[in-house]
């Protein structure tokens, strides 16, 4: 080996070592294979995956071994003369029959698993799941419980440009929500999936499989988690530029704890999603300024609903309105209300619309624009609060207040 060769090999080895050292922390969470999961189906999928992977490895070893052996032993330097035949019927039969037999052998267990994956009969719990850009709505059809599941405030703050938050310091960054789906362990949970805007896909790897949520269609999917715990996934469809900010989190509880959780669920602040017409999807983009106001925000959906004729104070509306704004509006209009005019999201500072137009815009959206209708998503109180907040924050001092009754009249 020449001196120059040894020199370059030394440099390459040093580079590889440096790369390994730099990437060591990232590789700690890196895995090659798919997870085994915590459900019967996910374990079947894993075993099926390993079986077919093994078959492919055996085929690769046999085929490439034969090729390498043939190339080595029949090389020109050994004086081997090429065969003169143009085809062989026996060989053609063999290389046709053997692959068919292998494919049939793999298709039998795969079809058996697929059939059981689609069998949603005899479920213990049914949850309707509606995808929105970019959140999930869960409705327990037989329990009267429903809520939205949004990206957690910590991740939402950290993801914004120039937020100053180290994403490595955020636990479960982009994989945490304010309200997870809660189900009992060992129960067969059937999901009815649809979408309010674009195609989404509900996916938790530990449960095995995923299913698309398509506007105008209802797809079915089921899982049965056998181990309590918190399981995380994401939307598996490219549903928009902020697609990465739509995680799925499922809390699997022991049956008694799930029963207690269900009993604790008060009438939800979120209204029933009575309307499912497709609206022009909003297109959240990264914030241009740190979400300083969001630092002590709490999930807005936890608020108690107010009576339809309630008259709420300015302080109460402003407090809840800030939380609602940070949860539902800041992605487009920014936490500081500066908006993104170039992307079609006007600044909320220095409002140029009156109270009535403001209510109509937030409740019913603005057709032909990226402004979605939030009437089906938020309660009267939440809508009144966020409108009041926006009209009296970011330098606005209109003194206007919107009350739940005003929202009810605008629906």
């Amino acid at each position: 080996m020449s001196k120059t060769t040894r020199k370059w090999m030394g440099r390459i080895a040093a580079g590889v070592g440096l790369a390994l050292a730099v990437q060591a922390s990232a590789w700690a969470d890196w895995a090659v294979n798919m997870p085994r999961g915590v459900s019967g189906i996910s374990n079947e999928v894993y075993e099926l995956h390993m079986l077919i992977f093994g078959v492919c490895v055996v085929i690769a070893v046999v085929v490439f071994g034969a090729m390498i052996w043939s190339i080595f032993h029949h090389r020109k330097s050994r004086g081997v003369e090429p065969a003169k035949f143009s085809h062989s019927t026996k060989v053609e039969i063999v290389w046709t029959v053997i692959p068919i037999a292998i494919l049939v052998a793999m298709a039998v267990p795969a079809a058996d698993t697929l059939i059981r994956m689609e069998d949603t009969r005899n479920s213990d719990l049914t949850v309707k799941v509606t995808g929105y850009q970019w959140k999930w709505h869960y409705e327990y059809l037989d329990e009267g419980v429903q809520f939205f599941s949004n990206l957690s405030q910590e991740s939402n703050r950290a993801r914004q440009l120039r937020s100053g938050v180290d994403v490595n310091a955020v636990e479960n960054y982009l994989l945490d929500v304010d309200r997870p789906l809660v189900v009992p362990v060992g129960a067969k949970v059937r999901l009815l999936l649809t979408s309010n805007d674009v195609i989404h896909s509900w996916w938790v790897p530990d449960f095995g499989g995923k299913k698309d949520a398509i506007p105008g269609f209802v797809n079915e999917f089921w899982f049965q988690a056998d181990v309590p715990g918190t399981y995380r996934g994401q939307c598996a469809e490219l549903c928009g530029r902020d697609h990465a900010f739509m995680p799925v989190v499922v809390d699997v509880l022991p049956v008694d704890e799930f029963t207690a959780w269900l009993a604790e669920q008060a009438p939800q602040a979120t209204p029933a999603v009575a309307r499912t017409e497709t609206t022009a999807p909003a297109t959240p983009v990264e914030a241009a300024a740190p979400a300083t106001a969001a630092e002590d925000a709490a999930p807005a959906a936890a608020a108690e609903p107010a009576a339809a004729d309630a008259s709420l104070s300015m302080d109460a509306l402003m407090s809840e309105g800030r939380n609602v704004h940070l949860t539902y509006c800041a992605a487009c209009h920014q936490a500081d209300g500066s908006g993104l005019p170039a992307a079609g999201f006007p600044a909320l500072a220095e409002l140029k619309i009156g109270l009535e137009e403001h209510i109509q815009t937030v409740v019913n959206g603005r057709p032909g624009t990226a402004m979605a209708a939030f009437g089906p998503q938020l309660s009267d109180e939440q809508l009144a609060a966020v409108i009041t907040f926006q009209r009296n924050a970011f330098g606005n001092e209109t003194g206007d207040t919107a009350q739940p009754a005003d929202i009810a009249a605008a629906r």
Side-chain angles (χ1 to χ4, degrees):
M1 182 181 296
S2 67
K3 184 178 179 180
T4 302
T5 302
R6 289 197 299 271
K7 181 180 178 181
W8 276 105
M9 291 186 66
R11 290 179 177 178
I12 293 173
V16 171
L18 178 62
L20 290 173
V22 170
Q23 297 296 326
S25 59
W27 285 14
D29 296 325
W30 192 70
V32 175
N33 207 352
M34 63 185 294
R36 178 177 283 275
V38 295
S39 70
I41 287 293
S42 67
N43 277 273
E44 285 187 40
V45 171
Y46 178 84
E47 297 294 343
L48 189 61
H49 157 73
M50 294 307 296
L51 170 64
I52 294 178
F53 175 71
V55 171
C56 292
V57 169
V58 171
I59 292 173
V61 169
V62 171
V63 172
F64 284 103
M67 290 175 60
I68 294 171
W69 180 87
S70 180
I71 292 171
F72 181 77
H73 287 277
H74 299 89
R75 64 187 186 277
K76 184 177 181 180
S77 61
R78 299 187 65 182
V80 177
E81 293 292 332
K84 303 298 183 183
F85 65 88
S86 60
H87 71 278
S88 169
T89 303
K90 292 181 179 178
V91 171
E92 290 178 354
I93 293 175
V94 169
W95 73 31
T96 301
V97 171
I98 291 179
I100 291 176
I102 294 173
L103 290 175
V104 171
M106 291 192 299
V108 171
D112 181 61
T113 299
L114 283 173
I115 289 172
R116 271 183 287 112
M117 289 176 72
E118 297 297 327
D119 184 5
T120 59
R121 295 172 298 177
N122 303 318
S123 60
D124 301 306
L125 179 67
T126 299
V127 181
K128 179 185 175 185
V129 182
T130 305
Y132 288 77
Q133 287 183 314
W134 283 264
K135 50 188 168 283
W136 296 99
H137 179 263
Y138 297 115
E139 181 179 2
Y140 295 67
L141 293 184
D142 299 324
E143 313 298 341
V145 174
Q146 59 177 307
F147 54 84
F148 279 93
S149 180
N150 297 276
L151 179 68
S152 70
Q153 290 288 350
E154 292 76 13
S155 290
N156 199 23
R157 286 200 304 273
R159 80 179 180 88
Q160 298 180 23
L161 294 177
R162 297 183 291 279
S163 68
V165 178
D166 181 6
V167 297
N168 296 308
V170 178
E171 188 175 8
N172 299 313
Y173 176 61
L174 298 185
L175 288 174
D176 204 4
V177 296
D178 54 2
R179 296 195 68 178
L181 175 67
V182 181
V183 300
V185 67
K188 183 173 183 177
V189 180
R190 181 176 66 141
L191 302 183
L192 303 178
L193 297 119
T194 188
S195 172
N196 188 65
D197 36 51
V198 298
I199 298 177
H200 302 278
S201 189
W202 198 90
W203 176 48
V204 176
D206 282 307
F207 297 159
K210 63 184 178 65
K211 186 68 72 173
D212 286 349
I214 304 172
F217 291 85
V218 177
N219 284 332
E220 289 185 285
F221 176 71
W222 73 274
F223 65 90
Q224 181 173 329
D226 297 326
V227 181
T230 298
Y231 303 98
R232 304 178 190 280
Q234 293 173 302
C235 174
E237 191 71 41
L238 188 58
C239 56
R241 62 170 297 171
D242 275 4
H243 156 81
F245 310 125
M246 191 174 176
V248 178
V249 181
V250 181
D251 274 350
V252 179
L253 302 179
V255 176
D256 55 343
E257 293 184 20
F258 172 76
T259 303
W261 174 85
L262 204 57
E264 291 172 357
Q265 302 310 300
Q268 300 300 300
T270 309
V273 184
R275 294 178 296 174
T276 57
E277 67 270 26
T278 301
T279 59
T283 309
V285 293
E286 299 83 350
T292 52
E295 292 178 356
D296 57 351
E304 292 291 337
D309 58 350
S311 181
L312 304 177
S313 68
M314 173 69 85
D315 290 342
L317 290 167
M318 290 294 288
S319 177
E320 183 177 355
R322 186 180 69 162
N323 293 337
V324 176
H325 174 81
L326 294 173
T327 301
Y328 293 93
C329 309
C332 299
H333 295 286
Q334 308 298 278
D336 61 358
S338 58
L340 289 168
F345 303 113
L348 297 176
E350 301 180 0
L351 274 173
K352 298 178 181 178
I353 59 175
L355 176 60
E356 183 62 28
E357 183 180 357
H358 196 170
I359 292 175
Q360 288 293 338
T361 300
V362 176
V363 173
N364 299 315
R366 183 162 286 185
T369 72
M371 179 64 192
F374 282 87
Q377 304 182 36
L378 301 175
S379 69
D380 291 353
E381 180 183 346
Q382 288 175 309
L383 290 166
V386 72
I387 292 168
T388 299
F389 171 77
Q390 291 171 348
R391 300 191 68 78
N392 295 279
F394 319 126
N396 299 316
E397 297 179 353
T398 66
D400 294 337
T401 59
Q403 295 294 336
D406 300 325
I407 305 302
R411 287 184 183 278

